[in-house]
Amino acid sequence: MANKTTEVSAAEVVGLLEIEGGEKVIVFGAGNGELVIPIAHKTKDRVTALEKDETLLEELALRAEEETLANIDRMPSGLGRLNFPDASFQRGLAAFVLDNTDDPELAAQEMYRVTIEKGIMVALGYSRDHSADLLADKLTKAGFEVTQGDFNEEVYYVKAYKA
């Protein structure tokens, strides 16, 4: 995942999440931690890092240890039915995974379900065709209010608010 996130600055992504320091954050597609580590530095609460590839989760664990971060929980998981109670997270990030999930509608619904009222989810993806518009539509149908933009020609974001 490092090659993907080098195209966007972690500071820009963390800025979109509007982390003030006490938020519980979930990261879908955590990879080796390129975006998880800066988020964990920003919040004093827990960061739950979901990633299908357990090798990447091991790399994330090593990076967290090097940075002396003890607030990252790693879980092997993709997008689908999530084993978290409703309204578990104040912030969330889906990093380059929603374009590739088998069921984006279910993923959007689950993201909405685990987000508290006034919570924020940010999805990152590669600009190709109308994928940003399609993702924004899925998140809107799930109940979020969305805005979208581009970091550059290659990477877009959709920022979703749970009103």
Side-chain angles (χ1 to χ4, degrees):
M1 182 165 141
N3 62 344
K4 294 179 183 179
T5 57
T6 55
E7 297 172 15
V8 297
S9 116
E12 289 177 297
V13 174
V14 172
L16 282 175
L17 289 169
E18 299 179 28
I19 296 172
E20 296 174 3
E23 295 84 359
K24 193 175 290 184
V25 183
I26 187 168
V27 179
F28 304 93
N32 67 359
E34 289 290 321
L35 296 170
V36 175
I37 298 293
I39 290 168
H41 276 295
K42 187 80 173 169
T43 186
K44 294 178 184 104
D45 209 319
R46 307 300 301 168
V47 178
T48 300
L50 305 180
E51 173 60 54
K52 281 184 176 181
D53 185 338
E54 293 191 44
T55 303
L56 291 175
L57 286 176
E58 290 171 17
E59 290 178 31
L60 170 57
L62 292 173
R63 294 184 71 192
E65 188 176 320
E66 288 171 6
E67 300 266 345
T68 62
L69 289 167
N71 64 335
I72 300 173
D73 301 315
R74 296 167 285 108
M75 295 179 63
S77 177
L79 287 166
R81 299 249 180 249
L82 300 172
N83 193 22
F84 299 104
D86 294 354
S88 295
F89 300 94
Q90 288 87 7
R91 301 289 185 269
L93 173 66
F96 306 102
V97 293
L98 288 174
D99 288 342
N100 301 315
T101 187
D102 293 336
D103 192 343
E105 288 179 6
L106 174 62
Q109 291 165 2
E110 284 293 280
M111 289 170 66
Y112 186 83
R113 184 184 66 76
V114 300
T115 304
I116 68 162
E117 279 189 43
K118 310 280 187 225
I120 297 171
M121 282 279 176
V122 173
L124 306 178
Y126 283 108
S127 300
R128 53 180 185 257
D129 303 323
H130 301 288
S131 57
D133 293 334
L134 292 172
L135 179 55
D137 182 59
K138 300 286 186 222
L139 290 168
T140 299
K141 285 181 179 173
F144 286 108
E145 296 175 14
V146 302
T147 59
Q148 61 189 66
D150 297 305
F151 283 116
N152 54 47
E153 290 179 5
E154 298 294 320
V155 180
Y156 70 83
Y157 67 86
V158 176
K159 186 173 182 177
Y161 300 90
K162 185 171 181 178

